Amino acid sequence: MDAARSPRIPALALVPVWVLTRLGMLYLLVRDGIGVRNVNDEVEFLYPRWALQLADGSFPVDDVTWQYPPGAGLLFLSPELLPFLDYFAAFLVLTFAADALVALALARPGRRPAGAWLWTAGLPLLLNVPHGRFDIQVTALAVLALLSSRRDPRLGGALAALGALVKVWPLLTLLGLERGRTGRDAWRSAAVTAAALLAVLALAFRHSFDFLQQQGARGVQIESLGGTVLGLMRASGAPIGIESRYGALEFSGPQVGTVAQLSLLLTAAAFGWLMFWRGRASRWTEATPFDAALAAVLLFTVTSRVISPQYMVWLLGLAAVCLTSRCTTQRPVAWVLLAATAVTALAFPTYYLEVMQGTALGNTLMVVRNGLLLTAALLSCHRLWRETAAPAHPAGADLGRPALCRGSEVA
């Protein structure tokens, strides 16, 4: 039936689909029998260890796997809110609750149901990975920040700041807010929220900023775009090895430093382009903040030295927000991201040993997945620029977009 005439039917249909897919994902996570078979190790062993240290009043010390801003500590302590469950079960309950919260927020009346469907049906493509990490909770903060920023920019800014204090990237949700009072209110709220929470965490815990040392020393992970280049060089006979460092597999060898520096330069260039876009953008629609957030996170993902499979959770969440608006420019990008998500599940955990060993299959999976991510990033930026910063379309050439989506002019 037409979703516009029967808005409740798509939302109601989401419920059984969400329940069935999440039961399947829970089964896969608990069974942990796909590919490398260690997907639930972080929730089973690593997060509880961190929680014990945090409960003692200190962030992890001399722990190379601790690479997160101090707000993440509260998330790892959150299973203590359910003392009647063990850590593993409590973490899963809270993670599935955050997953459901995202679906409910996306499916609210007045929003196009495509976003909720993308989240509900797209996340299971990652098999057992999403709920074995804490990225769903971070994505929930980013999604809520975007969806609330139009009506209440202060709330959006506060939620973005909370997300940034867990994994930094949610701060990018503020990048596409319209210039003027809305943007200023959101950024001020984010700054105040971040400063207040950082002060509380610094007073409550020791070693609050030790994560900076580990994060700055990261190398080139085998699943990154730069890692794909190094993997192909390794397959052609270059003296490149693999080491387990900072909780991930990274390349080692004389060429790695050059690739790492190039990645940092590309990240700086991506930031420069985003600032240039913001300065040139002159047309805003209700979807522009959504589209800009997706473009920004895609750029920082493809230029990063590290791409973990759970990064796809972020991108699916942001793409889903874009699809809640009829004004979005990112529909083709969402399709590309769905394909990249499916290939990601093949690369990890299904055939991760092949990726580690640099076999023809492993290298092919990385080339295809990262090629799709690069395509999504370039397509996202192109469509964002064309609709907001490029010269206005000639009359009648707006590709059938609704009149309300042709952008308000901003000086």
Side-chain angles (χ1 to χ4, degrees):
M1 299 180 71
D2 188 343
R5 287 180 295 177
S6 304
R8 294 186 179 182
I9 292 180
L12 291 175
L14 279 168
V15 175
V17 175
W18 188 93
V19 171
L20 290 174
T21 54
R22 272 45 182 186
L23 286 174
M25 296 172 78
L26 176 62
Y27 171 77
L28 292 176
L29 180 62
V30 173
R31 184 171 178 268
D32 201 13
I34 302 174
V36 290
R37 301 184 181 184
N38 64 350
V39 174
N40 64 16
D41 281 2
E42 293 195 8
V43 183
E44 192 83 63
F45 305 110
L46 183 60
Y47 297 173
R49 189 184 80 204
W50 286 343
L52 286 175
Q53 293 175 279
L54 289 161
D56 195 39
S58 173
F59 284 92
V61 180
D62 298 325
D63 186 343
V64 296
T65 60
W66 178 258
Q67 301 153 17
Y68 309 110
L74 299 178
L75 196 150
F76 295 123
L77 284 171
S78 63
E80 299 299 324
L81 297 172
L82 304 175
F84 48 88
L85 296 174
D86 62 30
Y87 190 96
F88 184 82
F91 184 89
L92 290 185
V93 168
L94 294 174
T95 305
F96 278 97
D99 181 356
L101 178 62
V102 173
L104 287 171
L106 292 167
R108 282 192 63 182
R111 293 172 182 153
R112 294 178 70 84
W117 278 109
L118 177 67
W119 176 259
T120 299
L123 201 65
L125 293 175
L126 289 170
L127 304 176
N128 53 357
V129 171
H131 299 91
R133 304 291 187 271
F134 63 99
D135 294 84
I136 288 178
Q137 290 91 322
V138 183
T139 302
L141 289 170
V143 167
L144 294 174
L146 281 170
L147 293 176
S148 62
S149 60
R150 185 173 179 85
R151 288 187 296 179
D152 190 343
R154 292 185 181 87
L155 176 59
L159 290 169
L162 291 176
L165 288 179
V166 179
K167 262 205 168 179
V168 180
W169 69 265
L171 196 62
L172 295 172
T173 59
L174 302 180
L175 186 68
L177 292 178
E178 191 170 340
R179 293 193 295 270
R181 181 175 179 180
T182 296
R184 289 194 300 269
D185 286 349
W187 281 104
R188 275 197 293 263
S189 176
V192 170
T193 301
L197 185 55
L198 279 174
V200 170
L201 291 171
L203 291 172
F205 297 93
R206 303 182 299 276
H207 305 287
S208 300
F209 299 97
D210 282 13
F211 76 97
L212 293 171
Q213 180 179 351
Q214 279 73 253
Q215 191 59 248
R218 293 297 300 268
V220 179
Q221 189 181 11
I222 63 174
E223 296 165 73
S224 66
L225 263 74
T228 298
V229 174
L230 291 169
L232 294 175
M233 293 172 62
R234 178 190 182 206
S236 66
I240 297 173
I242 292 180
E243 296 179 358
S244 178
R245 301 175 66 243
Y246 300 96
L249 294 177
E250 299 181 351
F251 283 110
S252 62
Q255 300 91 343
V256 175
T258 301
V259 173
Q261 290 179 354
L262 181 59
S263 295
L264 290 173
L265 288 174
L266 289 173
T267 298
F271 180 77
W273 183 87
L274 289 167
M275 293 299 99
F276 181 66
W277 164 80
R278 183 162 177 82
R280 288 289 301 272
S282 59
R283 298 184 300 279
W284 257 263
T285 70
E286 65 174 26
T288 300
F290 309 162
D291 296 354
L294 179 58
V297 175
L298 271 167
L299 281 177
F300 281 100
T301 297
V302 299
T303 60
S304 174
R305 294 168 293 171
V306 178
I307 299 180
S308 297
Q310 57 266 29
Y311 287 20
M312 299 306 302
V313 177
W314 316 347
L315 297 172
L316 285 175
L318 295 177
V321 174
C322 292
L323 295 188
T324 61
S325 172
R326 71 177 64 191
C327 301
T328 185
T329 64
Q330 303 295 302
R331 289 188 187 88
V333 179
W335 284 107
V336 177
L337 287 175
L338 278 176
T341 301
V343 179
T344 296
L346 292 176
F348 184 92
T350 311
Y351 295 111
Y352 197 56
L353 288 177
E354 304 280 343
V355 174
M356 292 167 54
Q357 294 165 4
T359 65
L361 174 60
N363 285 333
T364 299
L365 288 173
M366 285 292 90
V367 168
V368 173
R369 196 286 299 273
N370 287 338
L372 288 168
L373 284 180
L374 182 59
T375 299
L378 295 175
L379 181 62
S380 177
C381 293
H382 168 71
R383 293 179 69 84
L384 176 67
W385 178 272
R386 186 187 66 183
E387 296 300 326
T388 60
H393 297 298
D398 213 344
L399 304 179
R401 288 162 63 77
L404 60 87
C405 296
R406 292 174 190 169
S408 59
E409 296 289 337
V410 177

